[in-house]
Amino acid sequence: MEKQGELVQGTLDMLVLKALARGAKHGYGVAEWIHESSNDVLHVEEGALYPALHRLELRGLLTAEWGASQNNRRAKFYSLTAAGRKKLAEEAEYWRRMSGAIAHVMQSV
Amino acid sequence: MPAWLTEISLRIKALFRRRRLDRELEEEMAFHLAMLEEANRALGADPEEARHAAGRRFGNVTRMKEVCREMWSFTLVEGLWRDLRYGARTLGKNPGFTVTAVLAIALGIGVNTGIFSVLNGVALKLLPVPRAQQIVSVDQMFHGKFSRNVHGESGLFSYSEYKNYRENNHVFSGLLAYAPFLEATLGGESPKQLMGAETSCNFFDVLGERPALGRVFVEADCSAPGASPVVVLSDNLWRSRFAAEPQMVGKSVSLNRAKFVVIGVAAPGFAGLDPWPSEFWAPLTMQKALEPDSDLLSENNTGWLALLGRMRGRVSLEEVRADLGVIAGRLDQQYPGRTTTLAIRRATFLGRQEEQTVVFGIGAVVLAAVGLVLLIACANVANLLLARASSRQKEIAIRLSIGGSRWRIIRQLLTESLLIAFLGGTLGSLVAFWSIEGVARFVLAHLPHDVPRLVWNVSPDLHVWGYSLALTALTGIVFGLAPALHATRQDLSTAIKSDGGRFMGKAASGGMLRSILVGVQVAVCLVLLIAAGLLMRGLYLAQTVDPGFEMKGITQARFDLPSQGYNEEHARVFQRELMARVAALPGVDAVEQARVTPLSHDFLGTGLTLTGETQERQFEFNVVSPGFFTILEMPMVRGREFTREETQSDAGVLVVTESTARELWPAQDAIGKTLRDGSKKEFQVVGVVKDSQASRLGQTGGLFFYMPAGPKEQDRLQLLVHSKGGDIATAKGIRESARALDPDLIVDVTRLEDNLEFWRTPSRIVAALSGVLGALALLLSSIGVYGVVSYGVSQRTREIGIRMTLGADGGDVMWLLLRQAMRPVLIGAAFGVAGCAAVSQILSKVLYGIGSHDPIAFVGVPVFLLGIALLASYIPARRATKVDPVVALRYE
């Protein structure tokens, strides 16, 4: 059995987009948000997070800006672009249907 | 902006801000680590422990940065750049190898580029006129049963056909016609023979050529036959003959004794639409004035005009074909049984069907030959690369074993070979571009004197650049791929552990591939050398051949009376007077006449019907005076020569050649047999003359007859003069005699032997070319053999040392090495001889005097090549036998 909290392949991008839906965050903030929002179940590896952020930025779904963090350090803040918002909506819809279907299958006798 | 565009623009930005990108990545990671550390401290860990925990959790920072960086970069482009720099460094470290390889490739590519730029200049370049891509040539081919008169080439059009196409097409803004093979005598103090053209009056307008002086033709100049004796001169003629006279327009000149008024001078650089430059242009409607013996304008079934059209804007070649095809179909209805197909193509020099067939036939053979030279060069470089790859075996094995992908290493090796190819290709092409015009000038200057002066613009254009670029890239892959594949397919453990492969007699890795490459080189080289040998032998034979008649001491005088306005009566008087004067010259003992002088590359043909048959047969013929056979020492096999009486009347008698008699009347006596011509006139055979190569050098066959030169033939006869005195004095005497009778007549006086030049020139050019290519091939192949053997020796020094310690003497070692070196050479040679047997079959059809099974070429050349190969292996092998066993064992 795989490690607890490991992410299903391909869902990391969606979670990162979701994390940024309410406003700009730096990488650490994204990881923390996912961790907390999942009631400490999901745990994002840094080794996967940053490649994902850069990949999304390259695809034009995110933009990045340097700004000051709460404790006044320089940090790179990511935020959604219009394309990112659209992508998030699509992914969310797809996820809703998939998870509903899987749940349905698993509950059947 | 689409996503992929965003991505590319981001990447391009990143490409230029590589340093900043790295710094930002660094900073981003550092920030994350710091935040983790802070979080750990907040949970109560001491600072040291907090930092360690953060580090542990974060994992391999470098690796992550690597992944992100990779994502931002054009890995392929940057990888290529790295490969290039690395390749350049490696090549720089082995200057000996690099120079050899680059020179071999430069030779191969240079020869190819040079030949291609000649072909391009001759037949691929568009015409040198404004907006040339709109100009198309129209050419026709006939099929089926039909009869047609031809004046020049068979695809030419008659005047009425031209008018039909011109008036009824919907695709051209203008369609021009011109007669491409016109010659005329320009009168004056010293008459001069000029090439020119009769043209339709829209000629210059369709081409878009403006005159430098005066005007060009207008439609009124072509309104009626003979109405407008006007002429446009070429810039060259205007300068060379009229000293660039500024008041030239309005002056009159004499062409074939007709007066023409100069109306303009063409722009410099315009010399007509053929590789032989035109010196003047006159309206089509003046045809009879320029050629008084024919009236081509009124002959609807005589082809004499080449057609070129300028397409209207946005018309495609397909539409031109369809539109003109309709007109061709209508014309065919006038000639039942005949079908015409049209060939429409962008106009170039030598663009007509018959010319294209010849040019591309020759071009293909020559390109194949230079392609073979390049192949040898490739095999050579591939061999060098293979040898080098085995000395780099360890490096490659290490890279493979630490996880370098095979493809990655092949890419690296291919980059190196492409680098060599491009260095060589650039060098070779530059030398070719720089020298080819000189070479072309040299060749053109050495053509026989009666071949018209040709102009070739062989300067390189986009075609040529594209060709040499493509060839270079192909070359790089051809010689690089096999060694690269080979080098990366190895047993890693043995390669790293030791040089075990070098120890045993099995030889170092790649031995098989190297042997095959040597074999291929030898085979290809042999094909080229034997071909060259055959051609040179052919040339030698051509120069020593006995054509079956005597040429020594005979001078020929050729002139064209009909074009100079002579009628039969005038011609008879002129011939009688001239023969009398020439006969009186000192040393002259015979003066005879013939319509065609032997081997003058003019041919007469007609159809005759045998009595008792209905089907007409095609004959070649000549019209001769009674002493013709005696002066040329052509013996009669049966019957008799013509008599004086027969030449004075219009006697129906013939002399046929031996092979004609044999073919028409096998096992019968030809004397007394009768034939009829188209007008039902009957001819009787009175003599059979021994076969000779009087018409085509190297050929005796074909139906051939002679008829007596009667009074009606006098205007077309040439003179053959036999003298015991010097040729030069006789020639001078003939010229003076002719000048005394008609100072404006151009008389071409040469030795009869000079006619051989025409037949030998193609063989000579091809022999010279193939000799040069053969020498190049030999040089490259012997370098190849030498390189392989000396490499083998250096690889096996230790083995040789052991053998010698164990008692082998120098002779044994020499024998061992030579045997191994010569095996691939011998196999290659066997293939080469076989291949050459095929090549010689083709050559013997194309060129005069080539025997397809010439023993000297087929035995001598391979022996010579084997000798060279033996020498190339002997030199390095000798070095091996001089090895001191002790030194050899310590080697490495």
Side-chain angles (χ1 to χ4, degrees), chain B residues 561-886:
Chain B
L561 295 178
S563 79
Q564 302 306 311
Y566 279 78
N567 60 22
E568 270 174 36
E569 182 56 39
H570 284 136
R572 217 161 22 234
V573 174
F574 176 82
Q575 292 272 8
R576 199 172 54 223
E577 290 284 320
L578 181 61
M579 285 173 75
R581 279 170 188 259
V582 172
L585 290 172
V588 171
D589 51 13
V591 183
E592 297 296 336
Q593 295 172 303
R595 246 183 91 170
V596 171
T597 60
L599 296 177
S600 61
H601 60 94
D602 284 329
F603 312 100
L604 301 171
T606 188
L608 291 184
T609 316
L610 264 64
T611 305
E613 286 186 0
T614 50
Q615 188 69 42
E616 197 178 70
R617 292 171 187 259
Q618 283 300 314
F619 286 76
E620 206 179 300
F621 73 100
N622 198 357
V623 181
V624 301
S625 62
F628 178 85
F629 302 106
T630 315
I631 192 176
L632 293 173
E633 297 179 20
M634 292 161 74
M636 303 306 281
V637 181
R638 294 268 306 137
R640 58 172 179 82
E641 301 178 356
F642 299 126
T643 62
R644 280 292 149 203
E645 293 66 48
E646 281 164 346
T647 55
Q648 255 127 53
S649 63
D650 222 354
V653 289
L654 298 178
V655 166
V656 296
T657 61
E658 215 180 336
S659 53
T660 308
R662 213 176 314 131
E663 187 175 336
L664 295 182
W665 304 285
Q668 293 177 47
D669 191 356
I671 305 296
K673 292 280 190 285
T674 53
L675 302 100
R676 283 168 207 282
D677 68 5
S679 62
K680 300 287 171 215
K681 183 181 171 186
E682 192 173 87
F683 294 89
Q684 189 175 41
V685 177
V686 297
V688 177
V689 67
K690 191 167 179 294
D691 278 332
S692 68
Q693 305 167 0
S695 177
R696 293 176 172 80
L697 195 62
Q699 292 181 24
T700 50
L703 296 178
F704 199 107
F705 70 80
Y706 293 92
M707 52 195 274
K712 286 192 183 151
E713 302 283 348
Q714 291 299 319
D715 53 345
R716 296 179 189 277
L717 295 174
Q718 326 286 324
L719 292 193
L720 289 170
V721 180
H722 187 269
S723 65
K724 287 196 282 287
D727 295 326
I728 297 166
T730 309
K732 187 159 173 276
I734 297 172
R735 277 194 205 99
E736 277 165 4
S737 309
R739 194 169 305 136
L741 291 169
D742 183 346
D744 294 335
L745 184 71
I746 292 187
V747 181
D748 179 27
V749 184
T750 53
R751 298 180 309 154
L752 190 56
E753 284 167 290
D754 293 341
N755 286 354
L756 288 174
E757 281 311 294
F758 174 85
W759 300 93
R760 289 172 180 165
T761 301
S763 310
R764 184 171 297 158
I765 291 174
V766 175
L769 182 67
S770 64
V772 170
L773 292 183
L776 275 183
L778 185 64
L779 180 71
L780 288 171
S781 308
S782 41
I783 291 174
V785 173
Y786 176 86
V788 167
V789 177
S790 53
Y791 174 74
V793 168
S794 72
Q795 290 286 292
R796 295 168 64 185
T797 312
R798 196 150 66 148
E799 179 202 336
I800 292 165
I802 291 175
R803 281 175 190 271
M804 292 182 76
T805 331
L806 293 178
D809 63 13
D812 295 335
V813 170
M814 171 70 83
W815 173 238
L816 172 81
L817 290 172
L818 285 188
R819 208 176 48 207
Q820 285 187 358
M822 293 306 284
R823 194 184 310 135
V825 171
L826 282 171
I827 296 172
F831 276 103
V833 170
C836 214
V839 170
S840 65
Q841 292 289 343
I842 302 170
L843 279 180
S844 64
K845 288 197 187 93
V846 183
L847 292 164
Y848 160 71
I850 309 292
S852 53
H853 303 292
D854 188 312
I856 295 191
F858 269 92
V859 177
V861 173
V863 167
F864 175 64
L865 179 69
L866 291 181
I868 297 276
L870 202 60
L871 189 69
S873 348
Y874 175 76
I875 298 170
R878 216 170 80 90
R879 219 179 322 127
T881 64
K882 298 268 183 283
V883 162
D884 177 353
V886 180

Side-chain angles (χ1 to χ4, degrees), chain A residues 46 50 54 71 74 78, chain B residues 27-28 32 38 57 72:
Chain A
E46 281 78 4
Y50 282 96
H54 285 259
N71 50 10
R74 227 170 87 83
Y78 294 89
Chain B
E27 203 176 334
E28 198 175 5
H32 195 111
E38 219 163 90
R57 186 166 151 213
W72 281 92

Side-chain angles (χ1 to χ4, degrees), chain B residues 5-269:
Chain B
L5 249 175
T6 319
E7 186 169 344
I8 287 185
S9 74
L10 279 171
R11 282 192 185 197
I12 289 174
K13 267 191 224 151
L15 199 60
F16 294 105
R17 298 189 306 195
R18 171 72 59 230
R19 194 102 30 92
R20 192 168 139 197
L21 195 77
D22 282 349
R23 211 178 47 233
E24 286 186 1
L25 259 171
E26 194 85 38
E27 203 176 334
E28 198 175 5
M29 302 301 140
F31 170 76
H32 195 111
L33 270 171
M35 292 299 280
L36 278 176
E37 209 178 310
E38 219 163 90
N40 287 343
R41 261 211 306 271
L43 288 175
D46 67 74
E48 187 70 5
E49 199 179 318
R51 196 166 67 245
H52 277 146
R56 264 200 310 281
R57 186 166 151 213
F58 205 99
N60 189 341
V61 184
T62 319
R63 167 105 191 105
M64 192 183 343
K65 275 194 287 193
E66 197 68 27
V67 170
C68 291
R69 195 182 293 128
E70 191 95 321
M71 212 178 282
W72 281 92
S73 56
F74 287 102
T75 14
L76 202 68
V77 175
E78 290 178 25
L80 201 65
W81 176 237
R82 259 201 314 279
D83 283 355
L84 269 179
R85 276 195 322 217
Y86 182 72
R89 264 206 313 275
T90 330
L91 292 182
K93 269 190 234 150
N94 293 287
F97 161 79
T98 309
V99 168
T100 316
V102 166
L103 282 182
I105 295 301
L107 268 178
I109 301 255
V111 173
N112 274 274
T113 305
I115 293 292
F116 183 78
S117 64
V118 169
L119 190 65
N120 181 56
V122 171
L124 294 179
K125 271 191 188 169
L126 294 178
L127 294 174
V129 298
R131 285 165 289 122
Q133 69 283 357
Q134 293 175 344
I135 307 269
V136 295
S137 61
V138 183
D139 200 13
Q140 60 184 351
M141 284 152 289
F142 300 113
H143 313 279
K145 242 180 109 56
F146 65 95
S147 73
R148 187 175 174 87
N149 304 318
V150 174
H151 202 77
E153 288 167 359
S154 64
L156 297 175
F157 292 79
S158 75
Y159 185 54
S160 62
E161 285 163 354
Y162 163 59
K163 281 196 293 191
N164 228 308
Y165 283 104
R166 179 172 169 176
E167 280 153 25
N168 297 322
N169 81 76
H170 308 91
V171 287
F172 293 132
S173 61
L175 179 66
L176 70 85
Y178 76 103
F181 304 104
L182 179 68
E183 276 187 83
T185 306
L186 177 68
E189 298 255 313
S190 54
K192 189 170 184 264
Q193 198 72 355
L194 300 178
M195 298 293 292
E198 292 146 345
T199 71
S200 56
C201 284
N202 59 358
F203 183 80
F204 291 97
D205 294 333
V206 170
L207 293 177
E209 281 293 330
R210 306 256 74 84
L213 210 63
R215 66 171 177 94
V216 290
F217 306 127
V218 293
E219 279 311 318
D221 294 320
C222 284
S223 56
S228 192
V230 293
V231 67
V232 173
L233 306 182
S234 75
D235 180 73
N236 178 49
L237 182 67
W238 177 55
R239 288 179 195 283
S240 64
R241 186 78 186 196
F242 301 101
E245 160 74 57
Q247 305 300 318
M248 195 67 216
V249 173
K251 293 227 158 63
S252 66
V253 296
S254 144
L255 291 168
N256 281 352
R257 303 190 187 200
K259 275 220 166 346
F260 281 80
V261 178
V262 176
I263 55 165
V265 174

